[in-house]
Amino acid sequence: MSGGWDAVVVGARVAGAATALLLARSGHRVLLIDRAAFPSDTASTLYIHQPGVAKLAEWGVLPALLDSGCPALDTIGYEVGGVRLAGPAPVMPGAPAAFAPRRRVLDQLLVDAAVKAGVEFADRANLQELVHSDGRVTGVRFRTASGVRTEHARLVVGADGMRSRVARLVDAPVESGDPRASCVYYTGWTGLSTGFGFHESPGNWIVRIPTHDDLTLISTYFPQDRFTEIRQDPFRHHLAAVRATAPGLYQQLTEAEQVEPIIGTGDQQNYFRRGHGPGWVLVGDAGHHLDTISARGITNALLQAAFLAEELTVDPADPVRLDAALARFTRRRDEALTEPYQSTLELARLTVTPARLRMLREIAESPALTGRYFAVVAGMLGIDELFDDEDLDDDELFDDDGPDDDDVC
Ligand SMILES: Cc1cc2nc3c(=O)[nH]c(=O)nc-3n(C[C@H](O)[C@H](O)[C@H](O)COP(=O)(O)OP(=O)(O)OC[C@H]3O[C@@H](n4cnc5c(N)ncnc54)[C@H](O)[C@@H]3O)c2cc1C
């Protein structure tokens, strides 16, 4: 493009495609590149919390997701130490439930919406280096099947994931971080009707997540210090964990069919990187990553895309205003995502303290409190609001007249 792009976005999944979509809708000229061939899957247990679903609804992407046959996850069950919480999933405007779409479906829907909004999209386009001028990032150089291409831009958005090359090329330091706490393995099964939910015991966290094609993903989390042992024979450890922590689910697995191989990772990084600099910004996992146990990465990526687009109302040709907008984005990111980061770290330690069990026991006795607890888990309420009945009209959190666990599997 002559004169260059307003923004080149590197990485075209939830963070990058959503950012490109929103920037194009605000009138920016955007190039979106990804080294993968789309439609494309990636390792993930796919769960999107209600605030992320609400963003998809606001952007007009949710109807196509519903049309794709993605099941609504409208109930939740949680079992730990003899306590059972069960009830309907909370709702919020635009989000009738949570969803766990296949990434080749979700990411492609976002790319399609971005292209429809005017974004130029190139897949199989692998970022090699950044172009600099006068101390600013001013473009990208990437490799395609037909050779190396250079494009100039006022802003380069690194949405290229946890091992971000953009972050490496700009030397974005980790400004706060914590050691890895857990590791995870998951498989996909057909013939299960478990609904969405989790099971916990000391050292184990198990999640069941229905997705497209009548498939249910079962994921098992273990302490990080067991990773070397678990990776020797992950399927055996996966099944043993389900058997010990969720015996009812284990029984169902003996009659179901495992249709996807077991995959997993011990590389559960926890960090906030510097979010921006002259002519560059990091969105999604590139800038902030947290243990996947709380399934917040997709939702966080969508929220960050919205924050960035809301701040980038300035003319990107004005570097002072552009950099100020990027600084506001990073501040919003840190303000919004620090509390969920801390609670995720807590969960990822996989300890079941007597104090937490006491609290959960109290919550389990009240359907209203159970509903609020699930709203806290979804990121719709702060933990400090859980027992605070003055601040909240519970009708806003539930579909009908209040929580009712009749439908829970
Ligand atoms: C086992 C596992 C389970 C998970 N489960 C959940 C869950 O249930 N819910 C949830 O919310 N999150 C989950 N996550 C996390 C979630 O998948 C990520 O947080 C999310 O995908 C981040 O999106 P992103 O767009 O920032 O980055 P990514 O999804 O990592 O996408 C980055 C993109 O950048 C591209 N790219 C990288 N380098 C280059 C380059 N040099 N040139 C061009 N393109 C490049 C890649 O091809 C990729 O498409 C899970 C993760 C794992 C590993």
Side-chain angles (χ1 to χ4, degrees):
M1 161 161 297
S2 67
W5 301 90
D6 290 328
V8 173
V9 181
V10 183
R13 294 193 186 276
V14 279
T19 300
L21 162 68
L22 297 176
L23 294 185
R25 283 192 183 158
S26 343
H28 297 297
R29 294 161 305 153
V30 184
L31 171 65
L32 173 66
I33 66 170
D34 200 296
R35 67 182 175 194
F38 273 60
S40 165
D41 266 319
T42 186
S44 179
T45 52
L46 313 173
Y47 187 76
I48 315 176
H49 292 276
Q50 285 78 349
V53 174
K55 286 293 163 208
L56 296 176
E58 190 183 317
W59 304 336
V61 176
L62 189 60
L65 188 63
L66 300 180
D67 286 350
S68 73
C70 188
L73 307 184
D74 51 10
T75 60
I76 310 181
Y78 175 20
E79 289 177 18
V80 50
V83 181
R84 179 168 189 266
L85 271 60
V91 301
M92 62 187 285
F99 292 87
R102 292 289 221 177
R103 294 295 294 272
R104 64 169 172 265
V105 176
L106 173 67
D107 297 351
Q108 187 65 46
L109 284 175
L110 286 164
V111 167
D112 290 346
V115 169
K116 201 165 163 208
V119 169
E120 181 174 320
F121 174 54
D123 62 352
R124 300 170 218 231
N126 193 343
L127 175 79
Q128 304 292 300
E129 24 179 35
L130 299 175
V131 179
H132 297 263
S133 171
D134 296 332
R136 299 184 67 77
V137 171
T138 53
V140 292
R141 195 159 292 129
F142 55 95
R143 187 175 292 284
T144 68
S146 50
V148 174
R149 192 169 142 190
T150 300
E151 293 287 340
H152 296 280
R154 290 171 170 131
L155 176 64
V156 171
V157 181
D160 49 344
M162 188 173 77
R163 299 177 190 89
S164 168
R165 177 170 286 200
V166 175
R168 211 166 348 115
L169 290 171
V170 296
D171 248 338
V174 166
E175 296 198 316
S176 61
D178 290 275
R180 293 167 180 79
S182 82
C183 60
V184 56
Y185 278 91
Y186 69 93
T187 51
W189 301 73
T190 53
L192 289 177
S193 56
T194 62
F196 171 72
F198 5 91
H199 306 257
E200 185 182 10
S201 66
N204 263 169
W205 176 263
I206 291 167
V207 196
R208 37 192 165 85
I209 311 140
T211 179
H212 282 101
D213 311 319
D214 292 322
L215 189 76
T216 301
L217 302 182
I218 303 295
S219 68
T220 44
Y221 284 81
F222 307 90
Q224 171 73 203
D225 61 15
R226 290 192 64 202
F227 183 53
T228 309
E229 170 205 355
I230 304 278
R231 72 190 303 190
Q232 303 299 320
D233 192 350
F235 190 63
R236 183 171 65 78
H237 288 291
H238 175 74
L239 282 187
V242 176
R243 186 177 201 164
T245 300
L249 174 61
Y250 179 80
Q251 193 50 45
Q252 285 202 46
L253 292 189
T254 60
E255 286 151 29
E257 188 186 356
Q258 185 204 348
V259 292
E260 303 234 326
I262 186 147
I263 46 180
T265 178
D267 196 11
Q268 297 267 59
Q269 298 183 29
N270 300 297
Y271 61 77
F272 283 85
R273 284 197 179 114
R274 179 170 300 162
H276 70 283
W280 61 268
V281 66
L282 302 176
V283 181
D285 281 4
H288 164 53
H289 193 270
L290 73 179
D291 195 292
T292 61
I293 195 166
S294 59
R296 298 201 77 93
I298 299 170
T299 301
N300 284 355
L302 299 175
L303 294 175
Q304 288 181 57
F307 294 160
L308 180 60
E310 282 160 19
E311 297 303 340
L312 271 185
T313 51
V314 297
D315 177 358
D318 178 337
V320 174
R321 292 210 166 140
L322 176 62
D323 292 352
L326 301 180
R328 289 196 299 276
F329 157 75
T330 303
R331 260 198 310 278
R332 272 182 83 177
R333 177 197 77 175
D334 294 353
E335 277 165 21
L337 304 184
T338 295
E339 197 279 324
Y341 174 77
Q342 294 300 344
S343 54
T344 296
L345 279 179
E346 197 56 45
L347 190 61
R349 291 192 183 105
L350 297 172
T351 49
V352 182
T353 62
R356 188 151 65 85
L357 260 190
R358 265 199 309 280
M359 181 186 81
L360 291 170
R361 206 167 281 123
E362 183 183 340
I363 290 170
E365 282 169 14
S366 155
L369 267 181
T370 299
R372 284 177 179 219
Y373 181 75
F374 290 147
V376 170
V377 172
M380 295 161 54
L381 271 187
I383 186 77
D384 50 338
E385 296 169 283
L386 179 59
F387 293 101
D388 176 0
D389 52 16
E390 293 192 355
D391 274 2
L392 185 78
D393 175 1
D394 280 342
D395 288 348
E396 289 174 9
L397 290 178
F398 305 103
D399 240 347
D400 300 308
D401 301 327
D404 163 359
D405 70 358
D406 282 355
D407 302 328
V408 177
C409 308

